[in-house]
Amino acid sequence: MSSVFRIRTLIRLALIILLGCGSGLSIGQNDTEPVVLEGKCLVVCDSNPSAEGGVTDSLGITVRSGSAKVAFSAVRGTNHEPSEMSNKSMTIYFDQILVNVGNHFDLKSSVFQAPRRGIYSFNFHVVKVYNRQTIQVNLMQNEYPVISAFAGDQDVTREAASNGVLLHLERDDRLYLKLERGNLMGGWKYSTFSGFLVFPL
């Protein structure tokens, strides 16, 4: 088979696939599965060409990037007993990352920054250090509290506070935990903060 004939055949097949995507046929319309011809990845057809995280050409075909995969999980290995001098913002800092797919959680600032618009899931779990104490932790989104967790049993020393939420985030939204009152126990990594992208919008 001549190279000219092979090129013409590939072009015809590519046009059939492109027309199929545009006309609503099921060929190659899965957002994550590439169209493959003779081992070559050509295009990924997208029913929402304007979605972030992909490169869109003049035909409305989006090639997906790896930013669709986002997940993180961080733990704190030491107690958190902030003072006005050590932590004026009362941000809860983490010292170990267990998962950081996409590298969108910054360990130094302990802030997650959304890489794209979408629905995200977050959860956190903290344990207070002392009895006769109340702790309150807020999940902050761009400096505003979204949800809180509270533990205030005066007779329990190691009381836990947890919460979780689904959020509609825009690109570059910032999420972190803030200790409103009390002291958190670290030690055996009792304090955790996790999140992931459920689906992009």
Side-chain angles (χ1 to χ4, degrees):
M1 181 183 293
S2 70
S3 59
V4 174
F5 181 77
R6 289 183 64 191
I7 292 172
R8 287 179 179 172
T9 302
L10 287 174
I11 291 173
R12 287 192 187 108
L13 288 172
L15 288 174
I16 291 171
I17 291 169
L18 292 177
L19 292 173
C21 291
S23 62
L25 296 178
S26 61
I27 300 174
Q29 285 194 342
N30 188 305
D31 282 353
T32 59
E33 294 182 5
V35 177
V36 178
L37 292 176
E38 294 189 6
K40 302 294 184 181
C41 179
L42 297 180
V43 295
V44 175
C45 296
D46 189 357
S47 59
N48 183 16
S50 62
E52 297 175 23
V55 178
T56 304
D57 67 8
S58 59
L59 295 175
I61 299 170
T62 300
V63 179
R64 289 290 187 182
S65 69
S67 64
K69 296 180 180 179
V70 180
F72 77 92
S73 186
V75 297
R76 183 178 176 87
T78 59
N79 289 352
H80 189 52
E81 303 183 46
S83 66
E84 284 298 312
M85 294 299 293
S86 66
N87 189 359
K88 292 182 180 180
S89 70
M90 303 300 280
T91 300
I92 299 175
Y93 291 100
F94 294 86
D95 49 35
Q96 183 180 352
I97 292 177
L98 302 179
V99 173
N100 198 10
V101 178
N103 293 313
H104 300 294
F105 181 81
D106 179 64
L107 186 63
K108 184 177 180 180
S109 65
S110 291
V111 172
F112 169 78
Q113 187 165 341
R116 61 186 303 172
R117 185 169 177 261
I119 302 299
Y120 291 77
S121 174
F122 296 94
N123 63 78
F124 61 90
H125 178 87
V126 295
V127 176
K128 72 178 186 179
V129 180
Y130 311 112
N131 62 348
R132 302 189 180 282
Q133 183 191 63
T134 297
I135 60 169
Q136 180 184 344
V137 173
N138 291 341
L139 174 64
M140 307 294 290
Q141 178 182 351
N142 301 327
E143 314 303 327
Y144 295 98
V146 179
I147 57 172
S148 297
F150 175 89
D153 191 327
Q154 299 297 301
D155 298 323
V156 178
T157 301
R158 303 293 185 250
E159 187 180 9
S162 302
N163 210 339
V165 69
L166 289 175
L167 291 176
H168 179 179
L169 300 185
E170 299 295 334
R171 184 176 181 178
D172 295 330
D173 278 353
R174 294 163 54 86
L175 281 291
Y176 62 96
L177 295 181
K178 181 178 180 182
L179 181 62
E180 289 294 338
R181 54 174 143 167
N183 303 293
L184 302 184
M185 185 175 184
W188 290 95
K189 302 175 182 178
Y190 295 111
S191 298
T192 64
F193 181 31
S194 303
F196 61 91
L197 172 64
V198 180
F199 54 83
L201 294 174

